[in-house]
Amino acid sequence: MNDVLPGEIGRWQRVETAFRTAMDRLGYREVRTPYVEPTSLFVRAVGETTDIVEKEMYSFEHHGEALTLRPEGTAGAARAYVEHSVHNAEPVTRWYYVGPMFRAERPQRGRYRQFSQVGAEVFGDPGPGCDAEMIDALVGFLRDIGIAAPDVFVNSIGSGETRAAYRAALTAFLEPKKEGLTGESQRRLATNPLRILDSKAPNDQEACVGAPTILDFLSDDDRAHWDTLRRHLDALGTPYHVDPKLVRGLDYYTRTLFEIKGAYDKLGAGSTLVGGGRYDRMIKDLGGPEVPAIGFAAGLERLLIASEVEVPAGVVDVLVAPIGEESQSSAIVLGRDVRREGLRCEVDTRKASMKALLRRANALGARVALILGDREIAEGVALVKDLASQTQETVARADVPRRVREIVLSSAKAASAPAGERA
């Protein structure tokens, strides 16, 4: 688990804002669910044989109730959807979330035991148009935060009929190779053989060479969904790769699966940025009606490693520098009036020297320093010091907030102009 200090938080906020903007444009609304849920929710929703449930959950007992810190966001959102009978209020529900998750997994680059995720769920739309739109929007979001060439990988694992047929075929293929599998995959051969396809162990990967692919077992309905998904992605101009071995690590998925990878130079083998898919059975399994659903999640820490998002170094636009004991109250009032112009303003009330105050203004990235001493107060003015141009002017007290705003906005406008215009 790690701290995020003020010097780092600006990049987090930029990525979160870009994500919220992308979701808002698609008509998604934010949902906030508890950090703690009944353990049984994750066992039912995520799957009893998944790594999350078997190895990674932070679970405890409180007053006789088994509880767990949420390891992912979909189960809680689905529980809230069922509990509040949202399906009675609207035919299609689009939610997104931003917040911490908890998993006791082995820490590695971009993965922590408390980590932050952004994610979204759509309830009520059977797709595949919904699926394609979600994938395309995520590609746009990743590009917006400076991940230039995200790679989309898609697969279909079908629905019940398809899964049963494929599971039998895969088990029959791997059974003669059982002794060569890792201990974990030998156990999965009986409980969840599709997960063996997801193994990173060389022995398991070698055993899977030549295995039947689930795409060869799709039912007519599953095939129609899969073909239409790809047609929509083609229409959107969203490049993608078909990956028949893509199964992901959660039991609840049906039909569409996708991963988006990128920033290989920064993340290496762990280059998955976003993962998601369709889970059409979960709402019914949690006691609700038969409602189709699709969702995704992305770890913020990994997005920050992968992205090129930068933020201005400036903490404030203006520093008010009172000189002398008597100027403190006037400086505090001036600071408030400057903030009312929509500017970021700090008043330094340490009774420091002029040199120290100006050094502080530069350290905070302020564009303007307002000097307010006994003489300025007596004359009803303030000394406005433009720290970028190294000029200063004396301005009537009543006009200071407006004048400071003009200086700051002109600086921002110049910074955002094309290079040719700035020259």
Side-chain angles (χ1 to χ4, degrees):
M1 301 184 185
N2 63 320
D3 300 307
V4 182
L5 300 180
E8 308 167 77
I9 200 66
R11 295 187 72 238
W12 285 69
Q13 291 168 338
R14 283 287 295 275
V15 172
E16 290 171 3
T17 298
F19 176 74
R20 292 177 188 277
T21 299
M23 294 298 100
D24 287 344
R25 287 173 178 168
L26 283 167
Y28 288 64
R29 295 169 294 163
E30 185 176 7
V31 65
R32 300 187 184 187
T33 60
Y35 295 176
V36 179
E37 298 271 12
T39 301
S40 58
L41 170 66
F42 301 111
V43 174
R44 292 170 64 192
V46 177
E48 195 167 359
T49 62
T50 60
D51 285 350
I52 291 177
V53 171
E54 289 186 331
K55 304 175 183 178
E56 298 173 359
M57 294 201 310
Y58 284 110
S59 300
F60 58 97
E61 191 169 299
H62 182 68
H63 295 307
E65 184 178 8
L67 301 172
T68 294
L69 295 176
R70 63 183 190 184
E72 55 94 57
T74 296
R79 189 267 313 147
Y81 179 85
V82 172
E83 183 176 318
H84 298 282
S85 301
V86 179
H87 66 280
N88 288 329
E90 52 195 23
V92 178
T93 297
R94 297 170 179 255
W95 285 348
Y96 74 86
Y97 59 83
V98 178
M101 308 293 164
F102 306 85
R103 293 186 195 176
E105 62 179 344
R106 181 174 61 85
Q108 52 186 291
R109 182 165 174 77
R111 294 188 186 273
Y112 301 92
R113 290 177 174 173
Q114 176 180 318
F115 58 99
S116 293
Q117 271 191 350
V118 298
E121 320 293 340
V122 178
F123 303 105
D125 189 333
C130 172
D131 307 11
E133 185 180 61
M134 177 179 282
I135 293 168
D136 178 70
L138 284 168
V139 170
F141 159 65
L142 293 174
R143 287 175 175 160
D144 285 346
I145 62 173
I147 301 173
D151 287 327
V152 176
F153 297 85
V154 294
N155 190 26
S156 174
I157 56 171
S159 47
E161 176 187 338
T162 294
R163 293 278 284 278
Y166 181 62
R167 177 173 175 153
L170 183 61
T171 301
F173 176 84
L174 291 174
E175 190 67 44
K177 306 181 179 186
K178 181 176 179 180
E179 296 305 316
L181 299 174
T182 61
E184 182 75 7
S185 288
Q186 288 183 29
R187 185 178 64 81
R188 284 176 171 162
L189 189 57
T191 59
N192 193 354
L194 272 69
R195 288 297 316 283
I196 300 174
L197 298 173
D198 200 34
S199 173
K200 303 301 185 288
N203 286 6
D204 296 339
Q205 292 180 342
E206 184 178 347
C208 290
V209 173
T213 71
I214 197 164
L215 296 177
D216 294 331
F217 290 80
L218 295 179
S219 67
D220 291 344
D221 286 346
D222 291 339
R223 172 70 61 187
H225 186 281
W226 170 240
D227 290 344
T228 306
L229 167 67
R230 290 181 295 145
R231 188 166 68 248
H232 289 326
L233 290 173
D234 291 339
L236 288 164
T238 304
Y240 62 89
H241 311 276
V242 174
D243 183 0
K245 291 187 176 180
L246 175 60
V247 295
R248 297 198 53 76
L250 305 177
D251 284 355
Y252 53 61
Y253 286 121
T254 57
R255 289 189 169 172
T256 301
L257 287 181
F258 66 88
E259 286 186 349
I260 306 179
K261 300 182 179 182
Y264 301 99
D265 57 326
K266 298 176 181 178
L267 292 169
S271 55
T272 300
L273 301 169
V274 185
R278 184 160 285 282
Y279 52 99
D280 293 337
R281 300 191 310 261
M282 186 188 294
I283 299 302
K284 187 174 182 180
D285 289 346
L286 293 180
E290 194 163 325
V291 173
I294 185 173
F296 70 85
L300 266 172
E301 288 86 352
R302 297 170 66 72
L303 293 180
L304 286 163
I305 293 171
S307 77
E308 300 294 338
V309 166
E310 298 295 342
V311 294
V315 177
V316 298
D317 303 305
V318 182
L319 181 82
V320 181
I323 307 298
E325 181 73 32
E326 299 303 317
S327 61
Q328 299 258 332
S329 292
S330 297
I332 291 170
V333 174
L334 180 57
R336 179 201 64 191
D337 293 345
V338 168
R339 293 183 200 108
R340 286 176 173 173
E341 290 290 324
L343 302 177
R344 302 171 299 164
C345 178
E346 178 178 314
V347 181
D348 192 326
T349 58
R350 295 175 299 152
K351 304 178 184 177
S353 67
M354 173 74 79
K355 184 177 180 180
L357 291 169
L358 292 178
R359 189 163 55 240
R360 171 71 173 164
N362 285 318
L364 292 173
R367 171 63 191 264
V368 175
L370 298 179
I371 312 300
L372 203 61
D374 293 342
R375 182 181 65 81
E376 284 80 16
I377 293 171
E379 296 177 3
V381 299
L383 186 61
V384 178
K385 196 171 185 66
D386 186 332
L387 299 174
S389 65
Q390 295 296 307
T391 60
Q392 63 184 42
E393 58 187 297
T394 300
V395 178
R397 168 63 180 82
D399 297 332
V400 169
R402 177 191 55 78
R403 177 60 184 140
V404 170
R405 185 171 184 273
E406 289 175 353
I407 294 171
V408 171
L409 291 183
S410 67
S411 173
K413 185 176 180 180
S416 62
E421 293 181 20
R422 290 199 298 271

